Amino acid sequence: MVVGYCSAAFAQGDNADLGGNKETSRSGFTGAGAGGSGTTAAKAGGADGLGNPILGGERHPLYRLRPSDVVEISFTVAPEFNQTLTVQPDGYVMLKDAGMVEVQGLKLDEFSIAVEKAYRGYLHDPQVAVALKEFERPYFIVGGEVGKPGKYELRSDVTVAEAVEIAGGLTQQAKHSQVVLFRRVNDDLVEARLLNLKKMLKANGLKEDAHLRPGDMVFVPQNSISKVARYLTKPSLSMYLSPTQF
């Protein structure tokens, strides 16, 4: 069943222009999210630090606020408005006396501007300093034929081979000549790369081993995969990983 699903998904991926632009075929294996400004939230930045300009990415994306992040706001001349806020699941925060402001997807400097704008009706010259107190830790996901599939914190430089070992190593059914590395390009699109882990380990060619970036997903199949589409929509990843893992 896995082989059938994979073949169908990959064949469909080749026929569809998932990026909405034929130029995507010339992009490198990188990803980032679209930028934004003002009080309206932009899409979250990509997991990859390089970015893909063709797909609307940034070369060095800064952290963007997400639900459950905790931010601290300090006013230089009005300390009575100082507050610590948690980004709600809907992407909003409730500012003291200023009401709701949508902040999901904003960078810290954009968030600061949004807060200053919200308080202009209360303060003559609001000067705001913001600090990120709590945030989602960088992570990677390993699924398929490994001993302990799941989500792991990315605390240091980790390669695909190391990620597989962290996840309990390969099972006897693992097809480690066709390990797939998925990297998020944006909220809807994922880029796939096929790695021959068996060949790399046998030839001690670990220089070819890909280094993980926050949010990367590694899948070790049980059977041969005939073809891998370069770009996949995020829902199609449910064939490889549990939807609760990403």
Side-chain angles (χ1 to χ4, degrees):
M1 291 180 65
V2 172
V3 174
Y5 281 129
C6 291
S7 300
F10 296 151
Q12 182 179 4
D14 277 347
N15 294 329
D17 182 10
L18 301 177
N21 190 328
K22 294 181 180 180
E23 292 296 320
T24 56
S25 62
R26 294 185 293 185
S27 65
F29 185 62
T30 56
S37 60
T39 58
T40 302
K43 289 185 178 181
D48 166 349
L50 298 178
N52 190 329
I54 294 177
L55 296 174
E58 302 172 40
R59 188 157 293 278
H60 295 288
L62 297 176
Y63 185 82
R64 294 180 181 274
L65 294 175
R66 303 174 182 178
S68 299
D69 285 350
V70 178
V71 289
E72 185 178 75
I73 305 173
S74 301
F75 289 81
T76 305
V77 296
E80 63 273 17
F81 285 98
N82 292 355
Q83 53 200 289
T84 300
L85 304 168
T86 300
V87 181
Q88 300 174 175
D90 58 6
Y92 286 79
V93 294
M94 174 64 77
L95 296 175
K96 180 181 178 181
D97 295 336
M100 301 284 284
V101 175
E102 184 180 7
V103 301
Q104 181 176 347
L106 296 183
K107 294 179 287 188
L108 289 184
D109 60 341
E110 295 170 341
F111 175 58
S112 178
I113 293 172
V115 173
E116 291 178 355
K117 183 177 180 180
Y119 277 100
R120 281 173 189 163
Y122 300 89
L123 301 172
H124 173 66
D125 183 22
Q127 298 179 18
V128 181
V130 299
L132 184 62
K133 306 299 292 184
E134 296 181 19
F135 56 94
E136 184 179 39
R137 298 295 187 269
Y139 69 89
F140 64 91
I141 296 171
V142 184
E145 295 301 321
V146 292
K148 298 178 181 179
K151 183 176 181 179
Y152 296 87
E153 284 193 21
L154 185 61
R155 299 182 178 180
S156 59
D157 185 22
V158 176
T159 67
V160 171
E162 291 171 336
V164 169
E165 290 304 312
I166 291 172
L170 299 165
T171 67
Q172 293 182 350
Q173 293 77 29
K175 187 70 175 180
H176 54 304
S177 61
Q178 291 187 319
V179 176
V180 187
L181 172 59
F182 296 104
R183 180 161 293 167
R184 185 179 296 122
V185 175
N186 54 43
D187 287 346
D188 304 310
L189 196 64
V190 175
E191 192 169 3
R193 178 180 176 184
L194 196 62
L195 301 172
N196 191 333
L197 194 59
K198 179 179 180 180
K199 181 179 178 181
M200 285 191 296
L201 295 175
K202 186 176 181 180
N204 293 323
L206 295 182
K207 290 183 179 180
E208 300 178 9
D209 196 4
H211 292 256
L212 296 185
R213 297 188 182 278
D216 279 357
M217 294 166 279
V218 178
F219 176 73
V220 182
Q222 181 177 4
N223 301 306
S224 297
I225 300 176
S226 59
K227 199 172 186 181
V228 177
R230 183 161 191 176
Y231 296 102
L232 302 171
T233 56
K234 191 173 178 181
S236 65
L237 291 182
S238 60
M239 292 187 300
Y240 308 95
L241 304 168
S242 169
T244 60
Q245 292 182 315
F246 54 89

